[in-house]
Amino acid sequence: MRTYILPHLSHLESEAIFVIREAAAQFERPVLLFSGGKDSIVLTHLSVKAFYPARLPFPILHIDTGHNFPETLEFRDRFAERVGARLVVRKVQDSIDRGRVAEEKGPNSSRNTLQTVTLLDAIEELQFDAALGGGRRDEEKARAKERFFSHRNEFGQWDPKNQRPELWNLFNGRKRFGEHFRVFPLSNWTELDVWQYIAAERLEIPCIYFAHERDVVRRDGMLLARSDCIQLLPGETWERNLVRFRTVGDMTCTGGLESSASSVEDIIREVAAARVTERGGRADDRRSETSMEDRKVEGYF
């Protein structure tokens, strides 16, 4: 049972549920992209609400880089079972083994960008015509260009200049053979909205969002968690620190922040006072000023 919900959150909830139902009505084989992060958790929760008491009418898809936080994978399996969703997992390692992608080399290598090929292959293999994601416009300037229904061509590519108008909440899901859509029901939400909704709905989230002691290395202003996929550079050492993570992603590019926030209420206060976006701690967004848009054009989430 949820606690009091702020009026603007009630509006955002209604809007998101409307978009989810529209996607289910317009597309034959939708799928929900699930990372195990707070946004995809909220999106799945809203989807369950949208069709209750019926079961979720589409599966949830997780693209596993092989470098995910162990806590996230454990949460993913438990969460999917609890909500009664059919979980589909596709692995970047399989794409590497088949020669579809080449693993990056060097001390700052990451599998994050390799997810694009694995995702597009999964969409083609399983014939999904719409992929619902938890992207929000406040996250990053490229994501601010997305519509609720975001068209992708037959190659899975995105053209930000060729998006359809969405006046009066009318969504055009028409497409040619081989094309698909990305659907973003949380487009108008902010990070603070998401956390306030999690608090109101009392949603369970992965423990890495809360402050905990962990071995980390300081690199380029980020705190990267210790893992087998991160090799120390000359002069670097592991240090024990109290950290939490604002996003859930590949361990090679997801930086933590020093924090003592041990509850959702603590996180809400921290986010309200923050002056750096949650993706400010992501190494993949630092590769160039247009790194996110470049990846999205190629078919990234």
Side-chain angles (χ1 to χ4, degrees):
M1 184 175 180
R2 72 182 179 187
T3 59
Y4 169 75
I5 186 168
L6 297 170
H8 80 282
L9 290 181
S10 182
H11 170 76
L12 290 172
E13 179 186 64
S14 298
E15 178 184 65
I17 287 176
F18 174 76
V19 175
I20 292 166
R21 288 172 175 165
E22 278 291 301
Q26 292 199 37
F27 301 107
E28 295 182 3
R29 295 180 64 87
V31 66
L32 192 154
L33 302 180
F34 188 80
S35 68
K38 63 184 185 309
D39 301 312
S40 59
I41 291 169
V42 167
L43 179 58
T44 306
H45 177 75
L46 290 166
S47 298
V48 170
K49 272 193 167 188
F51 303 104
Y52 183 83
R55 296 188 57 148
L56 202 63
F58 40 73
I60 62 177
L61 171 65
H62 179 233
I63 303 301
D64 184 357
T65 68
H67 295 164
N68 295 98
F69 287 89
E71 298 94 331
T72 304
L73 297 181
E74 185 275 332
F75 177 88
R76 176 200 70 188
D77 297 339
R78 181 161 42 85
F79 180 80
E81 182 178 0
R82 181 169 59 80
V83 300
R86 180 166 70 90
L87 173 64
V88 178
V89 178
R90 290 297 180 266
K91 299 181 179 181
V92 171
Q93 185 62 54
D94 292 337
S95 298
I96 295 172
D97 294 342
R98 292 197 302 266
R100 292 283 293 139
V101 292
E103 186 129 36
E104 293 183 358
K105 306 297 183 183
N108 293 314
S109 60
S110 173
R111 289 184 174 182
N112 194 56
T113 58
L114 306 186
Q115 297 179 79
T116 298
V117 172
T118 308
L119 172 62
L120 293 178
D121 284 351
I123 289 174
E124 182 177 4
E125 172 200 352
L126 300 170
Q127 296 297 296
F128 294 131
D129 56 359
L132 286 76
R136 310 185 323 268
R137 294 190 182 115
D138 77 316
E139 288 182 84
E140 202 273 343
K141 57 187 179 183
R143 284 186 167 164
K145 300 178 183 179
E146 293 277 20
R147 303 292 173 89
F148 282 109
F149 277 29
S150 186
H151 176 262
R152 297 298 194 269
N153 66 18
E154 64 271 25
F155 302 106
Q157 296 174 326
W158 174 62
D159 181 359
K161 296 181 180 179
N162 188 28
Q163 297 301 302
R164 298 167 183 181
E166 295 179 340
L167 305 176
W168 305 291
N169 285 338
L170 297 176
F171 305 125
N172 182 356
R174 294 182 180 179
K175 58 182 178 54
R176 297 185 180 91
F177 180 79
E179 299 176 341
H180 73 276
F181 276 79
R182 304 290 172 83
V183 180
F184 300 103
L186 305 185
S187 289
N188 289 334
W189 295 54
T190 66
E191 183 186 12
L192 185 59
D193 293 332
V194 169
W195 282 113
Q196 289 175 330
Y197 189 78
I198 288 172
E201 295 288 289
R202 300 179 180 177
L203 301 183
E204 183 184 4
I205 56 175
C207 58
I208 63 171
Y209 278 114
F210 301 111
H212 59 286
E213 285 195 349
R214 201 180 197 109
D215 289 338
V216 295
V217 61
R218 296 180 184 272
R219 180 179 297 175
D220 298 329
M222 297 182 298
L223 297 175
L224 298 177
R226 186 170 192 165
S227 71
D228 293 337
C229 54
I230 295 179
Q231 304 300 317
L232 293 179
L233 302 178
E236 292 182 339
T237 58
W238 297 113
E239 60 180 82
R240 197 74 172 171
N241 215 326
L242 188 65
V243 300
R244 76 172 193 87
F245 295 86
R246 288 177 72 182
T247 64
V248 169
D250 194 296
M251 294 183 73
T252 59
C253 62
T254 304
L257 70 152
E258 294 178 276
S259 171
S260 59
S262 58
S263 68
V264 173
E265 289 70 25
D266 291 341
I267 292 174
I268 289 173
R269 286 190 288 269
E270 190 175 85
V271 170
R275 292 297 176 265
V276 177
T277 68
E278 62 198 286
R279 296 194 66 90
R282 293 290 294 265
D284 50 332
D285 288 350
R286 299 184 179 191
R287 294 191 172 190
S288 75
E289 289 187 359
T290 60
S291 57
M292 172 62 83
E293 183 159 338
D294 294 340
R295 295 199 305 276
K296 287 180 70 64
V297 166
E298 294 172 357
Y300 187 73
F301 297 165

